[in-house]
Amino acid sequence: MRFFRSHLALFAAAVFLATSADAQRAPRRPPLPAAADTNDARAYYDLGVRSMARRPDLAADAFYWAVELRPGWADALYGRHTAMLLRDPRRMIQYQSSGRARSSAEARQIDSLYLRALRSDPFVQRRFEPDLTRMWIGALIVGGDPTQVDDQTLLSYYTSQVMADLPPIMRARVMAAQGKIPEAAQAFGEALRSRRNSSETRGWILQERARMFALVGNNQRALSDLDSAVNLQVERDERELVRFYESKAVIHHSRGLIFERTGKADVAREAYSRALEEDLSYAPAHLRLALLALAAGDTATAEGEMRLAAETAPDDATLRILYGTLLSRLRRLDEAATQLEAATTLAPHHADGWLVLGMVKQLQGDDKGTLRACREYLARAPRDDPRRAQVEQLVATAPEGQ
């Protein structure tokens, strides 16, 4: 059997990053509309978006399954992070106001979802900030859980009044979520001019404003703010608690992506190297270095960096798929199969792992292994996946008994 071997090269360009699944029992799949494709991550994501305001518990489950089907999807990871806060208002209030509460195991699990989103895409658009802000304001108004108030109409009225006149930082977050990026950048600038903000808050504001500038393509302003944020963090590295999504590795990752965008590959490499100086376990930097090396035709460096990425994030299924793909291109098929089999164990609902494993099994001459992986892929691939037709033909024309 001939398999579509040329498709192996396409997987090396994939950039979304997965990490281990939530450290808890998987929720049941929430029901989708009758015509929806249960293999489509977008269908679960859209359900999460529709459910966030009224049913954050349902939204959390929907976003969980969006990530199961598409590991490392930053938007869905951020969505689950937000939904897990909103579904328990008391916990959300404690999370927002107490450093001790944020250091609990449960809070760290919620924070880890946000970290995973940032590691996948430091510029992820955080569209649910208005929901968090509205919940927080409601809690301040009633002095407790706003979902337990009898007169929700009156509470909604007062909450809307406060939302219309927010302080600069909160106003900026809401505007950014609404897609009003220039206005959000301006509001963040207003917040920076306040002398009441701590250096920690100023560093966060600089990162957020840099994200705004990056989203509208103002790369120089974005880099300037990121450099200032790094300098502020250097001044406060010894504080008691540094939440991991405030790390300088994420900032240097952001800088590297901007340099890549502007065609400055050498400077991007320096930025990713600085990220690794801050955190040797920061796998996204190894991944970006590998992809830059691959683009330059340096497969030896690419293999070394991809191996380091997989070693530093062993529970990351997508990294294993990418590494397995590269190993297959280097004709190291047994090693590639090992990586891909591990990926399908880590992310069994993700169709791509099965597809690439089938490609490698075909290259090994393992017809039965190829067909098994292809059938597993077809059971998981969305209906509109353009690769389905070729795989369906392969399976349909296979000799009986295989």
Side-chain angles (χ1 to χ4, degrees), residues 3-65:
F3 207 30
F4 35 107
R5 303 178 184 183
S6 62
H7 286 259
L8 283 167
L10 299 179
F11 283 88
V15 295
F16 52 83
L17 184 66
T19 55
S20 58
D22 291 7
Q24 62 178 15
R25 182 176 300 176
R28 296 180 62 180
R29 290 201 191 201
L32 295 173
D37 183 355
T38 56
N39 284 341
D40 185 0
R42 170 63 66 174
Y44 287 101
Y45 179 81
D46 290 344
L47 174 62
V49 172
R50 293 194 302 270
S51 306
M52 183 68 86
R54 295 182 179 275
R55 288 286 310 279
D57 55 333
L58 176 61
D61 293 349
F63 289 129
Y64 175 92
W65 281 101

Side-chain angles (χ1 to χ4, degrees), residues 314-332:
D315 293 335
D316 185 324
T318 305
L319 277 178
R320 287 183 178 268
I321 294 171
L322 292 172
Y323 187 34
T325 300
L326 178 58
L327 289 170
S328 70
R329 291 182 61 186
L330 299 175
R331 310 301 294 184
R332 292 161 58 178

Side-chain angles (χ1 to χ4, degrees), residues 224-236 248 251 274:
S224 177
D225 276 358
L226 289 171
D227 289 342
S228 296
V230 169
N231 292 335
L232 277 176
Q233 283 213 11
V234 169
E235 297 173 3
R236 58 185 178 87
K248 291 194 290 294
I251 300 177
R274 289 190 64 184

